[in-house]
Amino acid sequence: MLPNAQGVFETHQSVHPVSVIMYKHDLVYLTEDASHDAAIEHINEEAFGPGRFTRAAARIREQGPHDLSLSFICTDNGETIASVRMTPVLAGSVKGHLLGPLAVRPSHKNIGIGRELVRIAVEAARRKGSEAVILVGDPPYYGPLGFEKVAYNALCFPGPVDPGRVLVVPIAEGVHERLKGTIAWRE
């Protein structure tokens, strides 16, 4: 569309108007702090339900606290609407971080918030010297974000895990070769 002689943009009559619902978001990404705990718990409950506590990754998270400096939230107009947490782990001989849970309120899904939180968290882990970011998740979602499959049954989780869903962003050299053995929380 080009402006007319008066600088006004005009549409042609042959163009049919389309109804589009636009939502204005004021998204801000922040490092998590203790004041976000209740909102994050609500978001995770909404996303994963009570079964979230029975997952193998949750067993690791119960072993020690997540790293607040690598855990992030997203707010929209001041309301916490998404979060991602990173827990320090030793996976085989790799000193890395377990990403998750990652959760976004249903009202804000499918606009890229989860992907941005993952990108921010992985980059923060890289800057902090983590050797890898590991998660249990869907390869079609996480693959385009830089995650690769871990060798089948290479890591032993404290509970059942689908080995085809264990993924890693290798940051240090030789990560795949060293991701063999138990995965557990580390200080």
Side-chain angles (χ1 to χ4, degrees), residues 84-97:
V84 66
R85 287 182 165 168
M86 297 276 271
T87 301
V89 293
L90 183 63
S93 65
V94 175
K95 291 181 179 178
H97 287 85

Side-chain angles (χ1 to χ4, degrees), residues 71-180:
S71 299
F72 300 91
I73 63 152
C74 179
T75 66
D76 186 7
N77 292 311
E79 176 190 357
T80 301
I81 51 92
S83 77
V84 66
R85 287 182 165 168
M86 297 276 271
T87 301
V89 293
L90 183 63
S93 65
V94 175
K95 291 181 179 178
H97 287 85
L98 181 67
L99 186 144
L102 167 68
V104 179
R105 299 282 320 266
S107 59
H108 288 74
K109 284 190 177 283
N110 301 316
I111 60 173
I113 294 169
R115 289 184 297 278
E116 182 64 7
L117 282 169
V118 170
R119 188 197 65 74
I120 291 167
V122 169
E123 186 53 38
R126 185 184 317 275
R127 284 193 311 270
K128 193 167 182 174
S130 183
E131 294 185 300
V133 175
I134 302 158
L135 62 77
V136 179
D138 296 324
Y141 180 84
Y142 290 101
L145 302 176
F147 285 83
E148 306 167 359
K149 285 189 177 185
V150 171
Y152 195 81
N153 282 334
L155 291 175
C156 179
F157 281 77
V161 168
D162 176 350
R165 293 170 42 88
V166 180
L167 308 173
V168 64
V169 171
I171 297 171
E173 292 294 320
V175 163
H176 279 284
E177 295 77 24
R178 296 185 295 127
L179 282 176
K180 291 179 177 35

